[in-house]
Coordinates of all heavy atoms in Angstrom, one line a residue:
M1 N 29.8 -1.1 5.2 CA 28.6 -1.9 5.0 C 27.8 -2.1 6.3 O 28.6 -2.8 7.3 CB 28.9 -3.1 4.2 CG 27.6 -3.8 4.0 SD 27.6 -5.5 3.2 CE 28.8 -5.8 2.2
N2 N 26.6 -2.1 6.4 CA 25.9 -2.4 7.6 C 25.5 -4.0 7.5 O 25.1 -4.5 6.5 CB 24.4 -1.7 7.6 CG 24.8 -0.2 8.0 OD1 25.8 0.2 8.4 ND2 23.7 0.6 7.6
I3 N 25.6 -4.5 8.6 CA 25.3 -6.0 8.8 C 24.1 -6.1 9.7 O 24.0 -5.6 10.7 CB 26.4 -6.8 9.4 CG1 27.8 -6.7 8.6 CG2 26.0 -8.4 9.6 CD1 29.0 -7.4 9.0
T4 N 23.1 -6.8 9.1 CA 21.8 -7.2 9.9 C 21.8 -8.5 10.4 O 22.1 -9.6 9.8 CB 20.7 -7.0 8.7 OG1 20.7 -5.7 8.2 CG2 19.3 -7.3 9.6
N5 N 21.5 -8.6 11.7 CA 21.5 -9.9 12.5 C 20.1 -10.4 12.1 O 19.1 -10.0 12.9 CB 21.8 -9.7 13.9 CG 21.8 -10.9 14.7 OD1 21.7 -12.0 14.0 ND2 21.9 -10.8 15.9
L6 N 19.8 -11.4 11.3 CA 18.6 -11.9 11.1 C 18.1 -12.9 12.3 O 17.0 -13.2 12.3 CB 18.6 -12.8 9.7 CG 18.8 -11.8 8.6 CD1 18.8 -12.8 7.3 CD2 17.8 -10.8 8.4
A7 N 19.1 -13.3 13.1 CA 18.7 -14.2 14.2 C 17.9 -13.4 15.2 O 17.0 -13.9 16.0 CB 19.9 -14.8 14.8
A8 N 18.1 -12.0 15.2 CA 17.3 -11.2 16.1 C 15.9 -10.8 15.6 O 15.2 -10.1 16.3 CB 18.1 -10.0 16.5
Y9 N 15.6 -11.0 14.3 CA 14.4 -10.5 13.8 C 13.1 -11.4 14.3 O 13.3 -12.5 14.6 CB 14.5 -10.9 12.2 CG 13.2 -10.5 11.4 CD1 12.8 -9.2 11.2 CD2 12.3 -11.5 11.1 CE1 11.7 -8.8 10.6 CE2 11.1 -11.1 10.4 CZ 10.8 -9.8 10.2 OH 9.7 -9.5 9.6
T10 N 12.1 -10.7 14.6 CA 10.9 -11.3 15.1 C 9.7 -10.6 14.2 O 9.7 -9.4 14.1 CB 10.7 -11.1 16.5 OG1 9.4 -11.6 17.0 CG2 10.9 -9.8 16.9
N11 N 8.7 -11.3 14.1 CA 7.5 -10.8 13.4 C 6.2 -11.0 14.2 O 5.2 -11.3 13.8 CB 7.4 -11.3 12.0 CG 7.0 -12.8 11.9 OD1 7.2 -13.5 12.9 ND2 6.7 -13.2 10.8
T12 N 6.5 -10.9 15.6 CA 5.4 -11.1 16.5 C 4.2 -10.3 16.4 O 3.0 -10.6 16.7 CB 5.9 -11.2 17.9 OG1 6.6 -9.9 18.2 CG2 6.8 -12.3 18.2
N13 N 4.4 -9.1 15.8 CA 3.2 -8.1 15.7 C 2.6 -8.2 14.3 O 1.4 -7.7 14.3 CB 3.8 -6.6 15.7 CG 4.4 -6.2 17.0 OD1 4.0 -6.8 18.0 ND2 5.4 -5.3 16.9
Y14 N 2.9 -9.2 13.5 CA 2.3 -9.4 12.3 C 1.1 -10.3 12.6 O 1.2 -11.5 13.0 CB 3.3 -10.0 11.2 CG 2.5 -10.3 9.9 CD1 2.2 -9.3 9.1 CD2 2.4 -11.6 9.5 CE1 1.5 -9.5 7.9 CE2 1.7 -12.0 8.3 CZ 1.3 -10.8 7.5 OH 0.7 -11.2 6.4
N15 N -0.1 -10.0 12.0 CA -1.2 -10.8 12.3 C -2.1 -10.6 11.0 O -2.8 -9.7 11.0 CB -2.1 -10.4 13.5 CG -3.4 -11.3 13.7 OD1 -3.6 -12.2 13.1 ND2 -4.1 -10.9 14.7
P16 N -2.1 -11.6 10.1 CA -2.8 -11.5 8.8 C -4.3 -11.8 9.0 O -5.2 -11.7 8.0 CB -2.2 -12.5 7.9 CG -1.7 -13.6 8.9 CD -1.4 -12.8 10.0
G17 N -5.0 -12.1 10.3 CA -6.3 -12.3 10.4 C -6.6 -13.8 10.7 O -5.6 -14.6 10.7
S18 N -7.7 -14.1 11.2 CA -8.0 -15.5 11.6 C -8.1 -16.3 10.5 O -8.2 -16.0 9.2 CB -9.4 -15.5 12.3 OG -10.4 -15.2 11.4
T19 N -8.0 -17.7 10.8 CA -7.9 -18.7 9.7 C -9.2 -18.6 8.9 O -9.3 -18.9 7.6 CB -7.7 -20.1 10.2 OG1 -6.4 -20.0 10.9 CG2 -7.6 -21.1 9.2
L20 N -10.4 -18.5 9.7 CA -11.6 -18.6 8.9 C -11.8 -17.2 8.0 O -12.3 -17.4 6.9 CB -12.8 -18.5 10.0 CG -14.2 -18.4 9.5 CD1 -14.7 -19.6 8.6 CD2 -15.2 -18.2 10.6
K21 N -11.4 -16.1 8.6 CA -11.5 -15.0 7.7 C -10.7 -15.0 6.4 O -11.0 -14.8 5.3 CB -11.0 -13.7 8.5 CG -11.2 -12.4 7.8 CD -10.7 -11.4 8.9 CE -10.9 -10.0 8.3 NZ -10.5 -9.0 9.3
R22 N -9.4 -15.6 6.6 CA -8.6 -15.8 5.4 C -9.1 -16.9 4.4 O -8.9 -16.7 3.2 CB -7.0 -16.1 5.8 CG -6.4 -15.0 6.5 CD -4.9 -15.3 6.9 NE -5.0 -16.2 8.0 CZ -4.1 -17.1 8.3 NH1 -3.2 -17.4 7.4 NH2 -4.3 -17.9 9.4
T23 N -9.7 -17.9 5.0 CA -10.3 -18.9 4.1 C -11.5 -18.3 3.3 O -11.6 -18.6 2.1 CB -10.6 -20.2 4.8 OG1 -9.6 -20.6 5.6 CG2 -11.2 -21.2 4.0
L24 N -12.4 -17.6 4.0 CA -13.4 -17.0 3.3 C -13.0 -16.1 2.2 O -13.5 -16.0 1.2 CB -14.4 -16.3 4.2 CG -15.3 -17.2 5.1 CD1 -16.1 -16.3 6.1 CD2 -16.3 -17.9 4.4
W25 N -12.0 -15.3 2.5 CA -11.4 -14.3 1.6 C -10.9 -15.0 0.3 O -11.0 -14.7 -0.8 CB -10.5 -13.4 2.1 CG -10.0 -12.5 1.0 CD1 -8.6 -12.7 0.5 CD2 -10.6 -11.7 0.2 NE1 -8.5 -11.8 -0.5 CE2 -9.6 -11.2 -0.8 CE3 -11.8 -11.1 0.1 CZ2 -10.1 -10.3 -1.8 CZ3 -12.3 -10.2 -0.8 CH2 -11.4 -9.8 -1.8
Y26 N -10.1 -16.1 0.6 CA -9.5 -16.9 -0.4 C -10.4 -17.3 -1.6 O -10.3 -17.0 -2.8 CB -8.8 -18.1 0.1 CG -8.1 -19.0 -0.9 CD1 -7.0 -18.7 -1.5 CD2 -8.8 -20.2 -1.3 CE1 -6.3 -19.4 -2.5 CE2 -8.2 -20.9 -2.4 CZ -7.0 -20.6 -2.9 OH -6.5 -21.4 -3.9
F27 N -11.6 -17.8 -1.0 CA -12.6 -18.4 -2.0 C -13.4 -17.2 -2.6 O -13.7 -17.2 -4.0 CB -13.6 -19.3 -1.3 CG -13.0 -20.6 -1.2 CD1 -12.6 -21.0 0.2 CD2 -12.5 -21.6 -2.1 CE1 -12.1 -22.2 0.5 CE2 -12.0 -22.7 -1.8 CZ -11.7 -23.0 -0.5
T28 N -13.6 -16.1 -2.0 CA -14.3 -14.9 -2.5 C -13.3 -14.2 -3.7 O -13.8 -13.9 -4.7 CB -14.4 -13.8 -1.5 OG1 -15.4 -14.5 -0.3 CG2 -15.2 -12.6 -2.0
N29 N -12.0 -14.3 -3.4 CA -11.0 -13.6 -4.2 C -11.0 -14.6 -5.6 O -10.9 -14.0 -6.6 CB -9.7 -13.8 -3.6 CG -8.6 -12.9 -4.3 OD1 -8.9 -11.9 -5.0 ND2 -7.4 -13.5 -4.2
M30 N -10.9 -15.9 -5.3 CA -10.8 -16.8 -6.6 C -12.2 -16.7 -7.4 O -12.1 -16.6 -8.5 CB -10.7 -18.1 -6.1 CG -9.4 -18.4 -5.6 SD -8.0 -18.2 -6.8 CE -7.0 -17.2 -6.0
L31 N -13.3 -16.5 -6.8 CA -14.7 -16.5 -7.6 C -14.9 -15.1 -8.1 O -15.5 -15.1 -9.2 CB -15.8 -16.9 -6.6 CG -15.7 -18.3 -6.2 CD1 -16.8 -18.7 -5.1 CD2 -15.9 -19.4 -7.3
C32 N -14.6 -14.1 -7.5 CA -15.0 -12.7 -7.9 C -14.0 -11.8 -8.3 O -14.1 -10.8 -9.1 CB -15.8 -12.0 -6.7 SG -17.1 -13.0 -6.2
F33 N -12.7 -12.0 -8.0 CA -11.7 -11.1 -8.3 C -10.6 -11.7 -9.2 O -10.3 -11.0 -10.2 CB -10.9 -10.5 -7.0 CG -11.8 -9.7 -6.2 CD1 -12.6 -10.1 -5.3 CD2 -11.8 -8.3 -6.4 CE1 -13.4 -9.3 -4.5 CE2 -12.5 -7.4 -5.7 CZ -13.4 -7.9 -4.7
K34 N -10.2 -12.9 -8.9 CA -9.2 -13.5 -9.7 C -9.8 -14.3 -10.9 O -9.5 -15.5 -11.2 CB -8.4 -14.6 -8.9 CG -7.0 -15.0 -9.5 CD -6.0 -14.0 -9.1 CE -4.5 -14.5 -9.5 NZ -4.1 -14.1 -10.6
T35 N -10.6 -13.6 -11.8 CA -11.5 -14.1 -12.8 C -11.5 -13.2 -13.9 O -11.4 -11.9 -13.6 CB -12.8 -14.6 -12.3 OG1 -13.5 -15.2 -13.5 CG2 -13.7 -13.5 -11.8
M36 N -11.7 -13.7 -15.1 CA -11.8 -12.7 -16.2 C -13.3 -12.4 -16.6 O -13.5 -11.5 -17.3 CB -11.2 -13.3 -17.6 CG -9.7 -13.5 -17.5 SD -8.8 -11.9 -17.2 CE -9.2 -11.1 -18.7
L37 N -14.1 -12.8 -15.8 CA -15.6 -12.5 -15.8 C -15.6 -11.0 -15.3 O -15.1 -10.6 -14.4 CB -16.4 -13.4 -14.9 CG -16.4 -14.8 -15.5 CD1 -17.3 -15.7 -14.4 CD2 -17.0 -14.9 -16.8
P38 N -16.4 -10.2 -16.2 CA -16.5 -8.8 -15.8 C -17.6 -8.5 -14.7 O -18.7 -7.9 -15.1 CB -16.9 -8.2 -17.2 CG -17.7 -9.3 -17.8 CD -17.0 -10.5 -17.4
F39 N -17.4 -8.8 -13.5 CA -18.1 -8.3 -12.5 C -18.2 -6.8 -12.3 O -16.9 -6.3 -12.4 CB -17.7 -8.9 -11.0 CG -18.0 -10.5 -10.9 CD1 -17.0 -11.4 -11.0 CD2 -19.3 -10.8 -10.7 CE1 -17.2 -12.6 -10.9 CE2 -19.6 -12.1 -10.6 CZ -18.5 -13.1 -10.7
P40 N -19.1 -6.2 -12.0 CA -19.1 -4.7 -11.9 C -18.2 -4.2 -10.7 O -18.1 -4.9 -9.6 CB -20.6 -4.4 -11.4 CG -21.4 -5.4 -12.0 CD -20.5 -6.6 -11.8
S41 N -17.5 -3.2 -10.8 CA -16.6 -2.6 -9.9 C -17.2 -2.2 -8.7 O -16.7 -2.4 -7.6 CB -15.8 -1.3 -10.4 OG -14.9 -1.8 -11.4
T42 N -18.4 -1.8 -8.7 CA -19.2 -1.5 -7.5 C -19.5 -2.7 -6.7 O -19.4 -2.7 -5.4 CB -20.5 -0.9 -7.7 OG1 -21.4 -1.6 -8.7 CG2 -20.5 0.5 -8.5
C43 N -19.8 -3.8 -7.2 CA -19.9 -5.1 -6.5 C -18.7 -5.5 -6.0 O -18.7 -6.0 -4.7 CB -20.5 -6.2 -7.4 SG -22.1 -5.9 -8.0
K44 N -17.5 -5.3 -6.7 CA -16.2 -5.8 -6.1 C -15.9 -4.8 -4.9 O -15.3 -5.2 -3.9 CB -15.2 -5.6 -7.2 CG -15.3 -6.7 -8.3 CD -14.2 -6.6 -9.2 CE -14.3 -7.6 -10.3 NZ -13.3 -7.4 -11.4
A45 N -16.1 -3.6 -5.1 CA -15.9 -2.4 -3.9 C -16.7 -2.9 -2.7 O -16.1 -2.9 -1.7 CB -16.2 -1.2 -4.4
M46 N -17.9 -3.3 -2.9 CA -18.8 -3.7 -1.7 C -18.2 -4.9 -1.0 O -18.2 -5.0 0.2 CB -20.2 -3.9 -2.1 CG -20.9 -2.6 -2.5 SD -22.7 -2.6 -2.7 CE -22.9 -4.2 -3.5
L47 N -17.8 -5.8 -1.8 CA -17.2 -7.1 -1.2 C -15.7 -6.7 -0.4 O -15.7 -7.2 0.6 CB -16.8 -8.1 -2.2 CG -18.0 -9.0 -2.8 CD1 -17.6 -9.8 -4.0 CD2 -18.5 -9.9 -1.7
L48 N -15.0 -6.0 -1.1 CA -13.8 -5.5 -0.4 C -14.2 -4.7 0.9 O -13.5 -5.2 1.9 CB -12.9 -4.6 -1.3 CG -12.2 -5.3 -2.5 CD1 -11.7 -4.2 -3.5 CD2 -11.2 -6.2 -2.0
C49 N -15.2 -4.0 0.9 CA -15.4 -3.1 2.1 C -16.0 -4.1 3.2 O -15.8 -3.9 4.3 CB -16.5 -2.0 1.8 SG -15.8 -0.8 0.9
A50 N -16.7 -5.2 2.7 CA -17.2 -6.1 3.7 C -16.2 -6.7 4.3 O -16.2 -7.4 5.5 CB -18.1 -7.2 3.0
F51 N -15.0 -7.0 3.8 CA -13.8 -7.6 4.3 C -12.9 -6.6 5.1 O -11.9 -7.0 5.4 CB -13.1 -8.5 3.3 CG -13.7 -9.9 3.0 CD1 -14.7 -10.0 2.1 CD2 -13.3 -10.9 3.9 CE1 -15.2 -11.3 1.9 CE2 -13.8 -12.0 3.7 CZ -14.8 -12.3 2.7
G52 N -13.4 -5.4 5.1 CA -12.6 -4.4 5.8 C -11.7 -3.5 5.0 O -11.0 -2.7 5.6
A53 N -11.8 -3.5 3.8 CA -11.0 -2.6 2.9 C -11.5 -1.2 2.9 O -12.8 -1.1 3.1 CB -10.9 -3.2 1.4
T54 N -10.7 -0.2 2.6 CA -11.3 1.2 2.4 C -11.2 1.4 1.0 O -10.1 1.5 0.4 CB -10.5 2.2 3.2 OG1 -10.6 1.8 4.6 CG2 -11.0 3.5 3.0
V55 N -12.2 1.6 0.2 CA -12.3 1.9 -1.2 C -13.0 3.3 -1.5 O -14.2 3.4 -1.1 CB -13.0 0.7 -1.9 CG1 -13.0 0.9 -3.5 CG2 -12.4 -0.6 -1.6
G56 N -12.3 4.0 -2.2 CA -12.9 5.4 -2.6 C -14.0 5.3 -3.6 O -14.1 4.3 -4.4
K57 N -14.7 6.4 -3.7 CA -15.9 6.5 -4.6 C -15.3 6.5 -6.1 O -14.3 7.3 -6.3 CB -16.8 7.6 -4.2 CG -18.0 7.6 -5.2 CD -18.9 8.8 -4.7 CE -20.0 8.8 -5.6 NZ -21.0 9.9 -5.2
G58 N -15.8 5.6 -7.0 CA -15.3 5.9 -8.3 C -14.1 4.9 -8.7 O -13.6 5.1 -9.7
V59 N -13.7 4.2 -7.8 CA -12.5 3.4 -8.0 C -13.0 2.2 -9.0 O -14.1 1.6 -8.7 CB -11.9 2.8 -6.7 CG1 -10.9 1.7 -7.0 CG2 -11.3 3.9 -5.9
V60 N -12.2 1.9 -10.0 CA -12.5 0.8 -11.0 C -11.5 -0.3 -10.6 O -10.3 -0.1 -10.5 CB -12.3 1.3 -12.4 CG1 -12.4 0.2 -13.4 CG2 -13.2 2.5 -12.7
I61 N -12.0 -1.5 -10.4 CA -11.3 -2.8 -10.2 C -11.4 -3.6 -11.4 O -12.4 -4.1 -11.7 CB -11.7 -3.3 -8.9 CG1 -11.8 -2.4 -7.6 CG2 -11.0 -4.6 -8.6 CD1 -12.6 -2.7 -6.5
K62 N -10.2 -3.7 -12.0 CA -10.2 -4.5 -13.3 C -10.4 -6.0 -12.9 O -10.2 -6.5 -11.9 CB -8.9 -4.1 -13.9 CG -8.7 -2.8 -14.4 CD -9.5 -2.5 -15.5 CE -9.3 -1.1 -16.0 NZ -10.0 -0.8 -17.2
P63 N -10.6 -6.8 -14.0 CA -10.6 -8.2 -13.9 C -9.3 -8.9 -13.6 O -8.3 -8.3 -13.9 CB -11.1 -8.8 -15.3 CG -11.8 -7.5 -15.9 CD -11.0 -6.4 -15.3
N64 N -9.4 -10.0 -13.1 CA -8.0 -10.9 -12.8 C -7.1 -10.1 -11.9 O -5.9 -10.2 -12.2 CB -7.4 -11.2 -14.1 CG -6.5 -12.4 -14.0 OD1 -6.8 -13.3 -13.1 ND2 -5.6 -12.6 -14.8
V65 N -7.6 -9.5 -10.9 CA -6.7 -8.9 -9.9 C -6.6 -9.8 -8.7 O -7.6 -10.5 -8.3 CB -7.2 -7.5 -9.5 CG1 -8.6 -7.6 -8.8 CG2 -6.2 -6.7 -8.7
N66 N -5.5 -9.9 -8.0 CA -5.3 -10.7 -6.9 C -5.1 -9.7 -5.7 O -4.2 -9.0 -5.7 CB -4.1 -11.7 -7.1 CG -4.0 -12.6 -5.9 OD1 -5.0 -13.0 -5.3 ND2 -2.7 -13.1 -5.7
I67 N -5.9 -9.9 -4.7 CA -5.8 -9.1 -3.5 C -5.6 -10.2 -2.4 O -6.6 -11.0 -2.1 CB -7.1 -8.3 -3.2 CG1 -7.2 -7.2 -4.3 CG2 -6.8 -7.5 -1.9 CD1 -8.5 -6.6 -4.5
K68 N -4.4 -10.1 -1.6 CA -4.2 -11.0 -0.6 C -5.0 -10.7 0.7 O -5.6 -11.7 1.2 CB -2.6 -11.1 -0.4 CG -2.2 -12.1 0.7 CD -1.2 -13.0 0.1 CE -0.9 -14.1 1.1 NZ 0.2 -14.8 0.9
Y69 N -4.8 -9.7 1.2 CA -5.5 -9.3 2.4 C -6.2 -8.0 2.3 O -5.7 -6.9 2.5 CB -4.4 -9.2 3.6 CG -3.6 -10.4 4.0 CD1 -2.3 -10.4 4.0 CD2 -4.3 -11.7 4.1 CE1 -1.5 -11.4 4.2 CE2 -3.6 -12.8 4.6 CZ -2.1 -12.7 4.4 OH -1.4 -13.7 4.7
P70 N -7.5 -8.1 2.1 CA -8.2 -6.7 1.9 C -8.4 -5.9 3.0 O -8.6 -4.8 2.8 CB -9.7 -7.3 1.2 CG -9.9 -8.6 1.8 CD -8.4 -9.2 1.8
W71 N -8.4 -6.5 4.2 CA -8.5 -5.6 5.4 C -7.2 -4.8 5.6 O -7.1 -3.9 6.4 CB -8.6 -6.6 6.6 CG -7.8 -7.8 6.8 CD1 -6.7 -8.1 7.4 CD2 -8.2 -9.2 6.1 NE1 -6.3 -9.2 7.1 CE2 -7.2 -10.0 6.4 CE3 -9.2 -9.5 5.4 CZ2 -7.1 -11.3 6.0 CZ3 -9.3 -10.8 4.9 CH2 -8.2 -11.6 5.4
F72 N -6.2 -5.0 4.8 CA -5.0 -4.0 4.9 C -5.0 -3.1 3.7 O -4.2 -2.3 3.6 CB -3.6 -4.8 4.8 CG -3.3 -5.7 5.9 CD1 -2.7 -6.9 5.9 CD2 -3.8 -5.3 7.3 CE1 -2.4 -7.7 7.0 CE2 -3.5 -6.1 8.5 CZ -2.8 -7.3 8.2
L73 N -6.1 -3.2 2.8 CA -6.1 -2.4 1.6 C -6.8 -1.0 1.8 O -7.9 -1.0 2.4 CB -6.9 -3.2 0.6 CG -7.0 -2.6 -0.9 CD1 -5.6 -2.5 -1.5 CD2 -8.0 -3.4 -1.6
H74 N -6.2 0.0 1.3 CA -6.9 1.3 1.2 C -6.6 1.9 -0.2 O -5.5 2.2 -0.6 CB -6.1 2.3 2.3 CG -6.2 1.8 3.7 ND1 -7.4 2.0 4.4 CD2 -5.4 1.1 4.5 CE1 -7.2 1.3 5.6 NE2 -6.1 0.9 5.7
V75 N -7.7 2.1 -0.9 CA -7.5 2.6 -2.2 C -8.4 3.9 -2.5 O -9.6 3.9 -2.0 CB -8.2 1.5 -3.3 CG1 -8.0 2.0 -4.7 CG2 -7.4 0.3 -3.1
T76 N -7.8 4.8 -2.9 CA -8.5 6.3 -3.2 C -8.5 6.5 -4.6 O -7.5 6.1 -5.5 CB -7.8 7.4 -2.5 OG1 -6.4 7.5 -2.8 CG2 -7.9 7.1 -0.9
P77 N -9.5 7.2 -5.3 CA -9.5 7.4 -6.6 C -8.5 8.6 -7.0 O -8.1 9.3 -6.1 CB -11.0 7.9 -7.0 CG -11.6 8.3 -5.5 CD -10.6 7.5 -4.5
L78 N -8.1 8.5 -8.2 CA -7.2 9.4 -8.7 C -8.0 10.8 -8.9 O -9.1 10.7 -9.5 CB -6.5 9.2 -10.0 CG -5.4 8.0 -9.9 CD1 -4.9 7.6 -11.2 CD2 -4.3 8.5 -9.0
K79 N -7.4 11.9 -8.8 CA -8.2 13.2 -8.9 C -7.7 13.9 -10.2 O -6.4 14.1 -10.2 CB -8.1 14.0 -7.7 CG -8.9 13.5 -6.6 CD -8.9 14.5 -5.4 CE -9.7 13.8 -4.2 NZ -9.7 14.7 -3.1
A80 N -8.6 14.1 -11.1 CA -7.9 14.9 -12.3 C -7.7 16.3 -11.9 O -8.6 17.1 -11.2 CB -9.1 14.7 -13.3
T81 N -6.7 16.9 -12.5 CA -6.4 18.3 -12.2 C -6.4 19.0 -13.5 O -5.9 18.6 -14.6 CB -5.0 18.6 -11.5 OG1 -4.0 17.8 -12.2 CG2 -4.9 17.9 -10.1
A82 N -6.9 20.2 -13.4 CA -6.9 21.1 -14.7 C -5.8 21.9 -14.6 O -5.5 22.6 -13.7 CB -8.3 21.8 -14.7
H83 N -4.9 21.9 -15.8 CA -3.9 22.9 -16.0 C -4.3 23.9 -16.9 O -4.9 23.8 -17.9 CB -2.7 22.2 -16.6 CG -2.2 20.9 -15.6 ND1 -1.3 21.2 -14.6 CD2 -2.3 19.7 -15.7 CE1 -1.0 20.1 -14.0 NE2 -1.7 19.1 -14.6
A84 N -4.0 25.2 -16.4 CA -4.4 26.3 -17.2 C -3.2 26.6 -18.2 O -2.2 26.5 -18.0 CB -4.6 27.5 -16.3

């Protein structure tokens, strides 16, 4: 069995963004994404892109979704394949 030394663990490379950016996103997420109100997916995609996400064309974002850090998010649409 492998033993991991947790005392040697460091997360110095992890940077979730500035406090201002995270605060702005928190309120945007609560108002526009973490709600059951049916905001259009195109508006949600534009907001996500404004915060640094990569959202593919035709992606549908359902109501009441929680996104923690959109600047780490990359979403591409599923491609339908035809079977002969």
Side-chain angles (χ1 to χ4, degrees):
M1 177 189 333
N2 292 337
I3 297 175
T4 303
N5 182 6
L6 294 179
Y9 177 77
T10 176
N11 63 349
T12 55
N13 292 333
Y14 179 70
N15 182 8
S18 70
T19 304
L20 177 63
K21 186 177 186 180
R22 286 184 286 146
T23 303
L24 286 173
W25 173 249
Y26 175 80
F27 290 110
T28 303
N29 188 35
M30 288 297 125
L31 293 172
C32 300
F33 290 88
K34 195 90 172 103
T35 178
M36 290 305 290
L37 296 175
F39 287 108
S41 285
T42 53
C43 294
K44 290 180 181 181
M46 288 188 330
L47 278 171
L48 285 170
C49 289
F51 277 92
T54 304
V55 181
K57 187 176 180 179
V59 169
V60 175
I61 303 165
K62 297 288 188 175
N64 202 27
V65 66
N66 186 30
I67 301 168
K68 183 123 182 193
Y69 301 127
W71 42 93
F72 294 144
L73 182 66
H74 301 282
V75 181
T76 57
L78 293 175
K79 295 185 179 181
T81 57
H83 296 282

